[in-house]
Amino acid sequence: MKTLYLVRHAKSSWKDTSLRDRDRPLNKRGKRDAPRMAEFLKEKMACPDTFISSPSRRTQDTAVNFLHAFGLLKSDLKLEEGLFHGDERDIESVIHSLSNDHQSAVLFIHNPGITDYANELTNEDIFNIPTSGVVGIQLETDDWKQINQCRAKKLFYYYPKGLDLPTL
């Protein structure tokens, strides 16, 4: 069994229009929601074996909140260019590259790729995974390369507005 966690980056800022898309930081709501979701999820799941992020600033900033919640450092985060606005095939390619020594992985990615891939993998019909949303998926395989050929079951789907989270 493998477990995959898909995390959409927290809400980003459009305040500075001179920034490239990949350089946009989190806005006030994103800075509030990312640590709240990370702390909430720390209570729901074991620490994933690997953390992989799109190289965009907003996904890395989101990921750092999760790393800190699990007692890890930013240096524990792997960056993958293919996750920057990647589609389902790009996301799957990153997953296929995972070592089978890893039983669980968390990917910090963008929409629409996250929603499309979660729905494709689980046969669910999630309309839109909002910012800071997380989907946990259990995969009935021992080989990451076989994930599109195995049974995949949604374990959970959480997002900030759907939870009554305390302010940190």
Side-chain angles (χ1 to χ4, degrees), residues 93-132:
S93 177
V94 170
I95 296 167
H96 283 176
S97 73
L98 292 172
S99 166
N100 283 325
D101 292 339
H102 298 309
Q103 298 306 307
S104 59
V106 58
L107 275 59
F108 298 88
I109 49 184
H110 305 265
N111 224 15
I114 185 174
T115 300
D116 294 342
Y117 191 66
N119 285 331
E120 177 183 306
L121 197 58
T122 63
N123 290 315
E124 293 284 333
D125 191 22
I126 300 170
F127 175 71
N128 175 55
I129 297 172
T131 53
S132 297

Side-chain angles (χ1 to χ4, degrees), residues 149-160:
Q149 300 163 2
C150 73
R151 185 168 177 259
K153 175 182 153 188
K154 180 182 76 174
L155 297 172
F156 59 78
Y157 166 43
Y158 298 120
Y159 54 96

Side-chain angles (χ1 to χ4, degrees), residues 9-95:
H9 64 78
K11 189 76 173 163
S12 62
S13 174
W14 290 89
K15 188 176 184 178
D16 184 350
T17 58
S18 70
L19 290 176
R20 295 181 313 156
D21 182 46
R22 72 173 45 233
D23 297 328
R24 289 189 295 113
L26 298 181
N27 70 9
K28 184 177 178 180
R29 189 173 95 200
K31 289 176 184 176
R32 178 197 71 201
D33 288 348
R36 292 168 69 206
M37 285 299 291
E39 287 296 325
F40 173 79
L41 287 167
K42 181 182 81 169
E43 303 303 320
K44 302 283 182 201
M45 61 192 220
C47 183
D49 296 325
T50 188
F51 290 74
I52 306 168
S53 176
S54 156
S56 77
R57 179 172 174 191
R58 61 194 179 272
T59 50
Q60 289 185 63
D61 289 350
T62 302
V64 165
N65 285 282
F66 282 76
L67 290 163
H68 289 164
F70 286 102
L72 301 172
L73 303 171
K74 186 173 182 179
S75 60
D76 293 310
L77 182 64
K78 181 179 176 186
L79 303 181
E80 283 287 345
E81 188 65 39
L83 296 179
F84 183 63
H85 292 300
D87 64 14
E88 300 95 336
R89 299 295 69 85
D90 297 320
I91 295 167
E92 190 166 82
S93 177
V94 170
I95 296 167

